[in-house]
Structure formats: C-alpha cells, structure tokens
Amino acid sequence: MTTATAAQLSEPARKFIECPPDKLLIGEEWVDSASGETFETIDPATGEVICAVAKAGAEDVDRAVKAAQAALEGKWAKLPPAAREALMRKLADLIEENADELAELEALDNGKPVKFAKAVDVASAANHLRYYAGWPTKIEGETIPVSWPNAFVYTLKEPVGVCGQIIPWNFPLLMAAWKIAPALAAGCTVILKPAEQTPLTAIRLGQLVQEAGFPPGVVNVLTGFGDAGAAMVEHPGIAKIAFTGSTAVGREIGAKAGQMLKRVTLELGGKSPNIILPDADLEAAIKGAFMGIYFNTGQACNAGSRLFVHKDQYDTVVSALADAAKGAKVGPGLDESTQFGPVVSQEQYERVMSYIESGRQEGAEALAGGNGGNGGSDGYFIKPTLFTNVTDDMQIAREEIFGPVLVALPYEDLEEVARRANATEYGLAAGVWTRDVANAHKMAKLLKAGNVYVNVYAPADPAAPFGGYKASGIGREMGHANLDAYLELKTVWTSLT
Ligand code: NDP
C-alpha cells in the first residue's frame, strides 16, 4: 500500500491492516493456515499490495468443520432463541459502531466509493442482521390433522447443520451478512469463505462476531484462494452450501452438491433487461437506466445491462445517457468525490475490456466510454461505456460482462420487447418504466425474472426475497424464503393409544 493511500485511512482501518490480518478464525482462535501459506490482497485503485492474508486449504476446512460441528451440538444449540436474537442484534450494533472503518476497508479492497460503502454496504449489512434477528423466536412448527385415529402429528423446524458460505467480491461485507444472518437465525453454524479479491471485511466481521459474544465455532472465517471453495463443497460435514458468483462455478457446485445430496442455494449471473415503455417518465427512466447499470461499476448480478428503448425515443435516451456517462467521475474508492471506482481486479479489468473489444469487432458503436486506463499499476479503471448499433445476437448483448458496459437496443412493441427481454439463459431481474398501470402488471407477468422492478431499479430490503429464474440460480436470498433454506422440516407421529 502506498503511503499516500495509507494516509487516507483512519487510524482503526490502518491499524487493522498493519495488524496484520493473516490468520483464519477457527473455533475461538485466530490461527495460521495449516500450510502456513498466505496470499496478497490488492488495491484495485493502484494495483498495489494492501497486505497478506492466510490461505486456507482442505485441512483448514476440516478444522473449521469440526469447530462448527462442536458449536452446533454444544453451546449454540442450547442457547434459547431470544439469546440468539440478542447476539445478532449486538453484531448489528457493532457493525454500525465500526461503520467508518468497515467502509474504508471495503473501499480499499474492492475499490467502491467509500460513501456508498458506508451508506449501502455497511448500513444494509446491519439492517439485514436486525431483520433476521427477529426470526429465531418465530420459527414454528404446525399440528397436522391427519386422518389416522389416535395419532398426534406435528412438525418441527430444525437447523440444517454446518453451512459453507462462499461470498462474492462485489459487495463483500453485505453478501456475508446476507448469508450469515438467516443461517444464524435458523440455529446453523457457518464457515464463511470470502472472495480472494476482497477478504478484509470478512476478517473484520469475524472479529466483531467474537466481540459480540457468539460461542466459538458458530462463525468461522476462512480466507482462501484456489481450492478452499471446492474443499468446502466436498466436505461431508458441511450440510449446506450457499454460493454467490458466476453461473459456471454455480453449475460445478450444484453438480457436486447434487451428487452428495447437500442442500444448496445459488445466486448466479444475469443479463437483466431494463425496459423503457413509450409512456414512461423519461427523466426518471434515464436516471434509473444510468444507475441501474453503472452503480458499483456495473459489478452487480442484477445490473440492468440490456436497455430496451422504444424506437421513437431511442435517440433522445441514448444521447442523454451518453452525456451522463461522459460526465461521470471515475476514481479511487477512498476519494470522497468518486462516483464510480475501479473494477475489482486485473482479471476483471481484462475480462471487461475484452468484452468491449468484442463489441467493437462485432460492429457496435461506443457512444460513451469504451476505454479504460492502462490497468496494472494505474489501477483498474474503466469509463462507463454505452454501446449502440447492437443486435441481440452479439456477445455483448448475450453474456454477463459484470462491468460498466450498457447495450442500448431499440424495439417497436410490447410483446416483441418482452420476448426479446426473455430470450436469455438468465432470469435474475428486469426493469420496466411506464406510467400505465396495466402495462406495468402485464410486463411484470410476462418477464421471466426473479425480481421485476417497476419505475425503480434494484431496490433491496431484507424482507423481500431475491433470486433468479433459469441459469440465474436456485433458491432465494432474503425474506423468510431464505430462512426456510436453512431449516429442515421434521414430522413427528405419536400414537395416542
Ligand atoms: P466466481 O464466480 O468464478 O467464483 C469464485 C469463488 O468461487 C471463489 O470464492 C472460489 O473459491 C469459489 N470456487 C471456484 N470454483 C469452485 C468450486 N468448484 N467449488 C466451490 N467453490 C469454488 O468468481 P470470479 O471472481 O472468478 O468472477 C467471475 C464472474 O462471476 C464475474 O465476471 C461475474 O460475471 C460473476 N460474478 C457474479 C457475482 C454475483 O453477484 N452473482 C459476484 C461475483 C462474480 P476458491 O478460490 O477457494 O476456489
């Protein structure tokens, strides 16, 4: 880390990095990885090393499973639901108390603007824990009126067991909270594996879990790179895997979990349509389209990456979007004035730039952006990019880019746009902009997506389920739908004779 970057950090964040955070949380202790290996985490704004973290392998996964199993059968199982609730609320309080430090660590490690990290990632992580903290005291079974004489039948809901949770790098702390909160509410124990690009806030979260007073082994944190994820999926002691990431890795995890009959939830890719109908409030729709794709530098699974605009409004909309994209302030996440940070890594930079190149080669025109810096030590900056002259069959219109790249496509009528919007292997999200309530509901019904946003793009609330149709995943995050994904249903029959 450069001295200039270090100077931008507050004392707590600087101390955390200097500590150094190169240990794994297994049970009650922070320990070296079994191999003693570490790996470096990189600042995407400079391409420089921030610090080294421990590199967990299969042996560490095994140690963490043992700790998580011991907690599951021991202290954690014995805690009354109200005590679980209190611990979760305490953790939410601690996240808020350390909001500045967490936001700085996130901005440094992921590249996102520190003000968004604080207002969105950190604040939502605390909210998420509080929402699920309300559930432990409300997990109820049922009595079942069976037709057998003299039988008393009821159901119990029990924790699934030890859960392996593989967290993505786009919202590192928030996705960790999305995953641990329902698991803890259900009474499960957790092994958390952050993405190798962004391990820092997960390590800090592990420290806060300890400070909150959770019994040892309830939450274990394994930073890993290259094989820890697969080792978790393959470990027989892990009952459930929750993964957020690419559809390709999701398929591998799903296949392995299927073979082992593990429970699994997968939150995967998207190529979400954002559709402006002719009767829309155009100003709001343009703002929604802009933030719908460029927020978080386009690194959001539900990013509105295909913009459909009626042919009569197409020129007006794309020219307004191009102006806004050209005026956007791209810079380091720690700079308060930054609107959009760099993409997360050199690998992601190259991936996104190669899509931009493929767009050009297939004949699309970059009305804005279309270029990055040099990558490497200049930081992984890519200007918000808007492509026109795009056809549905181009690679940039079909594949998830996961960067600040929008394709704008004209259409003529409602049925046509719904059909084209659905013509993708994905089905995570879709946006509709209209003033006509009938059209809004018609489109909401026609669109094959797990989340449909009308006159807004990508709001989220812990109570509202989130997840995908088709290759966008299996199961739902958030709401009681995700609580159920961490519970087994047991039916108890008792003879009364
Ligand atoms: P991936 O989706 O490919 O996932 C990498 C993570 O998965 C790491 O934690 C890795 O752990 C783990 N992993 C890899 N292989 C396996 C396996 N066989 N079994 C279990 N775990 C495994 O992330 P990338 O960073 O490579 O991103 C690639 C693309 O994924 C992006 O361009 C974007 O399109 C998409 N993505 C989607 C996200 C979303 O929110 N839906 C978030 C992030 C990325 P280990 O290192 O230990 O192997």
Side-chain angles (χ1 to χ4, degrees):
M1 191 169 46
T2 59
T3 345
T5 309
Q8 283 179 281
L9 296 175
S10 63
E11 206 186 328
R14 209 169 43 243
K15 272 195 171 155
F16 173 81
I17 286 156
E18 286 164 3
C19 193
D22 59 355
K23 304 248 185 289
L24 309 170
L25 178 58
I26 298 181
E28 63 189 321
E29 289 197 83
W30 289 91
V31 295
D32 289 327
S33 65
S35 67
E37 285 181 67
T38 57
F39 65 96
E40 290 167 337
T41 184
I42 306 291
D43 173 359
T46 61
E48 305 221 349
V49 174
I50 303 170
C51 59
V53 298
K55 184 172 181 294
E59 203 178 325
D60 302 301
V61 169
D62 190 56
R63 289 197 289 169
V65 170
K66 287 191 176 109
Q69 256 161 358
L72 187 74
E73 289 153 20
K75 264 192 167 171
W76 186 234
K78 294 187 183 83
L79 275 188
R84 284 212 306 278
E85 170 178 349
L87 285 168
M88 292 176 71
R89 289 194 188 283
K90 176 75 184 160
L91 181 57
D93 292 347
L94 287 171
I95 288 174
E96 274 176 359
E97 282 166 28
N98 292 278
D100 289 328
E101 179 190 350
L102 287 163
E104 284 175 44
L105 292 176
E106 208 73 304
L108 181 63
D109 213 11
N110 164 281
K112 64 178 64 200
V114 66
K115 61 185 175 217
F116 290 137
K118 189 169 174 194
V120 179
D121 300 59
V122 179
S124 306
N127 276 347
H128 215 78
L129 278 152
R130 291 214 177 90
Y131 167 78
Y132 277 104
W135 276 110
T137 52
K138 297 164 196 76
I139 297 172
E140 296 165 344
E142 293 171 322
T143 52
I144 314 288
V146 295
S147 299
W148 285 52
N150 296 317
F152 173 46
V153 179
Y154 62 92
T155 57
L156 295 172
K157 289 186 180 171
E158 297 180 345
V160 159
V162 176
C163 298
Q165 304 189 317
I166 303 173
I167 309 300
W169 43 257
N170 53 343
F171 294 90
L173 177 71
L174 180 56
M175 293 300 105
W178 274 29
K179 295 232 184 315
I180 67 167
L184 298 177
C188 295
T189 55
V190 165
I191 301 169
L192 193 70
K193 196 204 91 65
E196 76 252 16
Q197 297 86 346
T198 54
L200 296 183
T201 47
I203 299 170
R204 188 70 186 102
L205 181 66
Q207 295 174 344
L208 296 179
V209 163
Q210 287 185 306
E211 195 179 331
F214 281 84
V218 172
V219 176
N220 304 273
V221 181
L222 298 186
T223 46
F225 182 1
D227 53 9
M232 279 165 61
V233 178
E234 275 157 29
H235 198 294
I238 294 186
K240 178 193 155 97
I241 293 286
F243 170 76
T244 297
S246 66
T247 292
V249 171
R251 283 188 212 280
E252 282 180 43
I253 292 176
K256 188 73 198 170
Q259 223 173 46
M260 297 179 76
L261 295 177
K262 275 184 205 287
R263 277 68 187 129
V264 67
T265 42
L266 302 170
E267 205 265 272
L268 309 174
K271 190 73 187 174
S272 300
N274 199 358
I275 305 168
I276 304 180
L277 297 188
D279 58 27
D281 170 347
L282 221 48
E283 201 187 333
I286 289 166
K287 278 191 190 143
F290 184 78
M291 287 313 281
I293 179 66
Y294 299 124
F295 176 69
N296 215 41
T297 314
Q299 301 167 120
C301 51
N302 55 351
S305 51
R306 287 183 297 150
L307 180 68
F308 289 95
V309 189
H310 191 270
K311 64 178 182 25
D312 295 343
Q313 293 165 324
Y314 186 81
D315 290 344
T316 311
V317 170
V318 294
S319 115
L321 277 171
D323 287 348
K326 284 175 195 159
K329 172 98 174 43
V330 177
L334 286 173
D335 185 335
E336 283 285 346
S337 67
T338 290
Q339 202 178 355
F340 304 116
V343 296
V344 75
S345 64
Q346 178 79 34
E347 188 187 7
Q348 197 61 18
Y349 176 84
E350 284 164 10
R351 195 178 278 151
V352 176
M353 291 308 288
S354 81
Y355 273 112
I356 290 177
E357 189 46 39
S358 97
R360 283 215 177 87
Q361 286 194 358
E362 288 192 276
E365 184 190 348
L367 217 57
N371 52 346
N374 299 320
S377 61
D378 289 340
Y380 316 131
F381 296 101
I382 300 178
K383 300 258 164 58
T385 296
L386 171 63
F387 274 116
T388 55
N389 254 345
V390 181
T391 53
D392 291 356
D393 58 347
M394 285 182 188
Q395 202 184 6
I396 52 168
R398 285 184 291 110
E399 295 181 15
E400 179 175 58
I401 299 176
F402 223 71
V405 182
L406 178 64
V407 299
L409 300 147
Y411 71 89
E412 290 190 25
D413 68 60
L414 205 108
E415 275 73 22
E416 171 214 331
V417 75
R419 181 178 44 72
R420 288 171 59 198
N422 288 334
T424 162
E425 67 166 332
Y426 297 115
L428 188 55
V432 183
W433 299 84
T434 177
R435 286 192 176 101
D436 182 319
V437 72
N439 277 342
H441 293 297
K442 190 170 176 188
M443 290 299 283
K445 185 138 175 64
L446 284 173
L447 291 166
K448 301 283 177 237
N451 310 272
V452 175
Y453 312 123
V454 180
N455 293 334
V456 62
Y457 200 87
D461 185 279
F466 177 84
Y469 283 26
K470 303 190 275 181
S472 289
I474 291 179
R476 293 291 178 271
E477 306 267 355
M478 306 207 265
H480 56 79
N482 204 18
L483 182 75
D484 290 342
Y486 287 91
L487 292 166
E488 288 285 9
L489 189 63
K490 178 183 278 177
T491 306
V492 180
W493 284 74
T494 311
S495 165
L496 300 180
T497 56

